[in-house]
Amino acid sequence: MGQNSFPDFYPDDITRLLYDWEIAPAEKKRFLLKLIASRIPWQIQLESALDEVKDPYLRVQARNLKSEILRHRLRHSFFKLTLRGNTNHYKDLEEMVVQLSNIGFPDQNYAEIKHELDRIALRISELYDDHSGYLTDELKVQILCQVMFQEEGFVGNIQNYNDPGNSYLFQVIKSRLGIPISLSVVYLLVAQRLGLPLYGTNLPLHFLLQYESEGYFTFIDPFHGGVLLDKFTCEKFLEANGYTNSPKYFTKASTLSMIKRMCRNLLHIYRDNQSKEMEHMIKDHLQILESRSTHVDNG
């Protein structure tokens, strides 16, 4: 990877902090590990970052501390999101779904995820260029859904809906299968690269997307192959499932609300599967997200 390949990452700082950790009294070691975790950009695979430590002894120590550094790294990102709150943009969505995915796949490589998202966005962009003479917002949405479903194969995992892998971005990208909200996230990350006005919609029971421009509006259901829906159909869905129609169900979802929902989904799955260790890990991160406090991370 190299120190100069990522401008916000300085292996010498990590080496210095590891040396400080090595000689620090017990009560300071945890604080130093949190510092190390916060100095490694989320885009960098943790193992690769630790391999940049030049001192052989400290490099071995870093590898032994990998799981603890990862835990602090995840908590750091979750606390940052909590401090930002319910912002009306998705600038931090990619970071957060990658960090959440690290819980299920700690050895995942973000470069692989980014490559796939970039490649899909480029394919859609090329089709937009091919239709530039008559490219309406409606056609943009149709091309987006055509590529995501027909060409790339992203669809709901009906056969194994409660597989926790359906909620982790790395696995969803790899398998092309997911649940409504995780598939929506993939659409959103691709749309972000294209500058499309696409947003999440926190509909109960079934997460949707909404495309909203000056001249065009529609709901999109990635779980069912990117089918387009009108509001009347969504309202009938709510009524059929015992919900009273309310504008709150059609508001744009923030990154914070989406990550909370993904965590709650995982919590229920791990609880049902009696996977106690994973249940406690997800619960710990959900509690961070649900905290209204703005104090410094004491976790």
Side-chain angles (χ1 to χ4, degrees):
M1 181 171 55
Q3 180 168 337
N4 296 324
S5 63
F6 206 97
D8 296 325
F9 176 61
Y10 304 97
D12 289 346
D13 283 352
I14 305 301
T15 302
R16 177 180 56 79
L17 288 169
L18 282 167
Y19 175 76
D20 291 344
W21 178 88
E22 181 71 18
I23 63 175
E27 63 271 16
K28 289 189 177 180
K29 287 184 179 291
R30 189 158 162 271
F31 171 75
L32 288 167
L33 287 182
K34 289 166 68 174
L35 270 184
I36 292 170
S38 68
R39 299 288 175 85
I40 302 175
W42 65 269
Q43 300 95 330
I44 299 179
Q45 189 179 30
L46 183 57
E47 187 171 346
S48 298
L50 298 180
D51 283 345
E52 291 292 309
V53 175
K54 293 182 177 63
D55 184 286
Y57 174 75
L58 292 178
R59 188 164 61 245
V60 171
Q61 288 292 81
R63 289 171 180 165
N64 292 336
L65 294 166
K66 177 184 169 184
S67 60
E68 196 169 350
I69 294 173
L70 177 62
R71 184 175 72 86
H72 288 302
R73 189 189 192 193
L74 295 175
R75 290 175 63 84
H76 178 68
S77 284
F78 275 64
F79 266 99
K80 283 195 304 179
L81 178 63
T82 302
L83 295 176
R84 286 191 290 267
N86 287 290
T87 53
N88 293 319
H89 62 70
Y90 296 131
K91 293 177 182 177
D92 44 14
L93 178 60
E94 194 153 333
E95 173 184 354
M96 292 312 305
V97 292
V98 168
Q99 293 288 40
L100 178 63
S101 186
N102 264 319
I103 295 176
F105 297 88
D107 294 319
Q108 70 177 10
N109 188 341
Y110 169 65
E112 296 175 13
I113 296 173
K114 183 178 183 300
H115 173 77
E116 275 297 278
L117 294 171
D118 289 347
R119 181 188 62 77
I120 296 168
L122 179 61
R123 166 61 177 158
I124 296 171
S125 179
E126 289 172 345
L127 290 174
Y128 284 176
D129 289 342
D130 291 343
H131 298 82
S132 59
Y134 49 93
L135 186 63
T136 63
D137 283 304
E138 184 175 4
L139 184 54
K140 285 181 182 180
V141 170
Q142 290 172 354
I143 291 173
L144 169 69
C145 296
Q146 173 190 316
V147 171
M148 296 300 291
F149 175 54
Q150 295 182 14
E151 294 189 13
E152 297 297 331
F154 285 101
V155 71
N157 191 352
I158 298 173
Q159 300 298 323
N160 198 4
Y161 191 91
N162 289 323
D163 181 353
N166 292 331
S167 293
Y168 293 124
L169 182 64
F170 179 75
Q171 181 62 23
V172 174
I173 292 285
K174 187 176 178 180
S175 69
R176 298 302 202 258
L177 297 172
I179 56 177
I181 192 168
S182 61
L183 292 168
S184 293
V185 162
V186 178
Y187 275 63
L188 286 168
L189 296 179
V190 170
Q192 213 173 30
R193 286 161 166 76
L194 297 166
L196 299 178
L198 195 66
Y199 307 92
T201 308
N202 258 323
L203 204 70
L205 303 177
H206 197 91
F207 197 90
L208 293 175
L209 295 168
Q210 61 187 74
Y211 185 99
E212 182 179 10
S213 67
E214 288 186 8
Y216 183 66
F217 182 92
T218 189
F219 291 99
I220 305 171
D221 183 359
F223 188 81
H224 292 107
V227 64
L228 305 185
L229 305 168
D230 57 24
K231 191 173 182 180
F232 176 79
T233 303
C234 298
E235 289 171 344
K236 287 300 178 185
F237 169 80
L238 289 174
E239 290 175 13
N241 286 279
Y243 287 88
T244 303
N245 184 29
S246 171
K248 69 180 180 180
Y249 297 138
F250 296 95
T251 56
K252 295 170 184 174
S254 66
T255 295
L256 179 57
S257 65
M258 290 169 66
I259 300 299
K260 283 182 183 179
R261 183 161 174 164
M262 294 177 81
C263 284
R264 291 189 192 105
N265 289 339
L266 282 166
L267 187 62
H268 292 145
I269 290 169
Y270 286 129
R271 189 170 289 157
D272 290 344
N273 292 345
Q274 296 186 336
S275 302
K276 294 296 183 183
E277 183 178 350
M278 293 302 292
E279 178 189 341
H280 290 152
M281 189 179 300
I282 295 294
K283 187 176 182 180
D284 178 52
H285 288 84
L286 181 57
Q287 286 174 341
I288 294 173
L289 296 178
E290 291 180 336
S291 169
R292 290 290 179 261
S293 174
T294 56
H295 57 68
V296 178
D297 173 15
N298 291 318

